[in-house]
Amino acid sequence: KIILKKITKIKSDYNWFSIEIKNKEFLAEGDFTKLDFLIGKFREAISETSHKLSIKDDFFFSDDIQEFILENDKDTIIFLHYTNKSRIAKKILKTGLEFTYAFDKTATKVKNNPVDLSYNHYVRKQFGENVVVMGISKKVYQFYIDKINQLGSSILRVEEILTEKPVYINGESEEVYTLNQKFIKGYFNYKNKEIFKNPDFDPFFDSKVFLENIKSK
């Protein structure tokens, strides 16, 4: 249980904020310059709560799962995708992750930071207990950012070109991309602690098709 007395600071009409946790609700308000500050306080509160959860409730912060997520985090950009069905997670391991233009709505980038991890898990866990872990080498990622810029491409996300499958149009007339299966590390279930690894995982994977994807835009 978090105990936080109401904090209020008012210096002027354009420099004020108020934070309170009451009846398990985080209540915060302030002037427009305090948004990042208040979100930070919310993340801190979630972090404290998450680490006090019973291990029976959620294994997300167990050593095995944390090691699985954050292994080689210094050299790899890590993303998580939550799904409520294990068959979907298994399919992603075999065929890659499908997404539309908004990759960041499908997957969330994570850092080796307890507050950041707690916040993202709290926000995303509602989408399911199976969490797909993706990893892309920072060198590969930066290489294609540079190529996109050099070629003056209109591509907005590097993930859009990291595929060997053709883009297709779904029923809502949206372009659907498929992140290459090599970038899928595996998935875990945070309720039963099971971890499933992709034997083909290779965060340093590169393909001549990636460059062709940029040129074709």
Side-chain angles (χ1 to χ4, degrees), residues 77 79 99-104 109 136-149 153-164 177-180 183 203 205-206 209-211 213-214 217:
I77 299 173
F79 300 94
F99 64 96
T100 58
Y101 69 94
F103 180 79
D104 55 350
K109 182 179 177 181
I136 304 172
S137 160
K138 291 179 180 179
K139 288 184 178 180
V140 170
Y141 202 91
Q142 188 60 50
F143 175 81
Y144 284 106
I145 286 178
D146 294 341
K147 285 296 180 183
I148 289 170
N149 291 333
S153 173
S154 60
I155 294 170
L156 299 178
R157 301 280 315 202
V158 172
E159 295 83 5
E160 293 179 14
I161 60 97
L162 299 181
T163 181
E164 293 179 303
Y177 305 88
T178 306
L179 183 69
N180 196 284
F183 298 120
F205 177 71
D206 200 354
V209 178
F210 297 167
L211 188 57
N213 289 338
I214 300 176
K217 287 290 185 177

Side-chain angles (χ1 to χ4, degrees), residues 41-97:
K41 288 298 183 183
F42 179 52
R43 288 181 172 181
E44 289 177 11
I46 291 172
S47 179
E48 289 183 36
T49 303
S50 297
H51 285 291
K52 291 178 181 179
L53 285 174
S54 166
I55 197 69
K56 294 180 181 179
D57 298 320
D58 194 331
F59 287 98
F60 184 84
F61 287 99
S62 68
D63 291 342
D64 290 346
I65 287 179
Q66 286 296 294
E67 182 178 350
F68 181 61
I69 295 172
L70 299 171
E71 183 183 21
N72 298 324
D73 67 293
K74 291 183 179 179
D75 301 314
T76 308
I77 299 173
I78 301 167
F79 300 94
L80 301 181
H81 169 76
Y82 288 69
T83 177
N84 62 351
K85 298 185 183 296
S86 60
R87 63 176 177 80
I88 294 177
K90 290 176 181 177
K91 181 182 178 182
I92 292 172
L93 261 63
K94 294 180 179 180
T95 62
L97 177 71

